[in-house]
Amino acid sequence: DSGVTQTPKHLITATGQRVTLRCSPRSGDLSVYWYQQSLDQGLQFLIQYYNGEERAKGNILERFSAQQFPDLHSELNLSSLELGDSALYFCASSVGGGSPIGEQFFGPGTRLTVL
Amino acid sequence: AQSVTQPDIHITVSEGASLELRCNYSYGATPYLFWYVQSPGQGLQLLLKYFSGDTLVQGIKGFEAEFKRSQSSFNLRKPSVHWSDAAEYFCAVGARGATNKLIFGTGTLLAVQP
């Protein structure tokens, strides 16, 4: 158990819908990262928040957004869902936000299926 | 731009045999390097990491990896594979700078034959 929790574990929804994925980092970690794992794209970095502020952005679609709240939990919002958004979404956390780099601890993931 | 290449998509080894999983990276300076393992239906677990210093790093579960700057490689090794090592293995590079984001390779799926 990494100490990172993600809810829900599974999510099934229809095209055009909007969903919210939630992540609680390990106690004491200030950074939260979101990654998408799909068959065709592999594991891709989406976005990083550090202590409530956006720190880095990767290949995140405009239909996707995230935020980190004062209690440090994070939410990833996916809207206007398409079939291709079906994937496993991982959240990770670390103590710091940049150099020196620290270990990232990964949650179990949320499996999103868009029908 | 940073990138990671894992040339072997799928590898099968016999239990008790040695294992080497290949990883090549592209980065302008000395990177941070990681190996993660993902068991079916699970999240990613860190096996080992290289930041600086000794180029041979030891990790959990009997794994080790060697950083070779001249070859831009960070191959993962294990002298004797156990059936429980069957999983997908990901090499990743982390930038030195304002973010800790990781760039992952495409993964190598390891099957272990009895």
Side-chain angles (χ1 to χ4, degrees):
Chain A
D1 184 356
S2 66
V4 178
T5 60
Q6 290 187 247
T7 56
K9 277 194 85 158
H10 302 276
L11 202 45
I12 301 174
T13 188
T15 54
Q17 295 298 305
R18 172 191 163 96
V19 297
T20 298
L21 313 184
R22 183 188 168 102
C23 168
S24 293
R26 290 188 326 150
S27 176
D29 284 358
L30 298 179
S31 264
V32 169
Y33 311 77
W34 287 97
Y35 294 87
Q36 179 194 57
Q37 185 178 34
S38 62
L39 284 176
D40 53 343
Q41 299 284 337
L43 252 172
Q44 296 231 325
F45 167 74
L46 295 178
I47 197 163
Q48 175 195 0
Y49 277 82
Y50 176 74
N51 205 20
E53 296 197 0
E54 183 183 303
R55 176 61 69 95
K57 227 170 184 175
N59 299 327
I60 187 166
L61 299 171
E62 282 193 18
R63 301 184 284 108
F64 296 1
S65 65
Q67 54 184 326
Q68 186 179 28
F69 295 86
D71 67 351
L72 300 177
H73 91 272
S74 177
E75 292 181 357
L76 179 67
N77 300 295
L78 315 176
S79 61
S80 302
L81 285 168
E82 302 174 0
L83 295 177
D85 298 327
S86 296
L88 194 49
Y89 291 84
F90 285 111
C91 169
S93 73
S94 69
V95 172
S99 285
I101 196 169
E103 178 178 348
Q104 289 183 30
F105 294 84
F106 281 77
T110 292
R111 181 165 295 282
L112 173 66
T113 302
V114 182
L115 301 174
Chain B
Q2 307 148 48
S3 66
V4 178
T5 301
Q6 293 181 247
D8 304 306
I9 296 173
H10 189 271
I11 283 183
T12 301
V13 299
S14 298
E15 192 167 15
S18 63
L19 172 70
E20 182 167 27
L21 302 183
R22 296 183 289 165
C23 172
N24 292 96
Y25 68 88
S26 174
Y27 187 66
T30 301
Y32 298 116
L33 294 162
F34 305 82
W35 275 99
Y36 280 85
V37 61
Q38 183 180 25
S39 298
Q42 303 293 315
L44 288 93
Q45 182 183 24
L46 181 68
L47 285 176
L48 46 77
K49 58 184 182 274
Y50 172 78
F51 290 171
S52 64
D54 194 346
T55 57
L56 184 63
V57 292
Q58 303 296 322
I60 62 171
K61 305 185 182 189
F63 285 93
E64 68 177 26
E66 187 170 11
F67 170 59
K68 293 186 177 180
R69 185 191 306 273
S70 61
Q71 297 175 21
S72 297
S73 70
F74 188 57
N75 294 348
L76 182 71
R77 301 193 294 246
K78 186 169 184 179
S80 177
V81 168
H82 188 261
W83 64 267
S84 61
D85 293 324
E88 190 153 24
Y89 292 80
F90 292 91
C91 181
V93 62
R96 294 178 184 258
T99 173
N100 279 354
K101 70 178 184 182
L102 296 176
I103 306 299
F104 284 90
T106 49
T108 298
L109 187 61
L110 173 66
V112 180
Q113 282 181 338

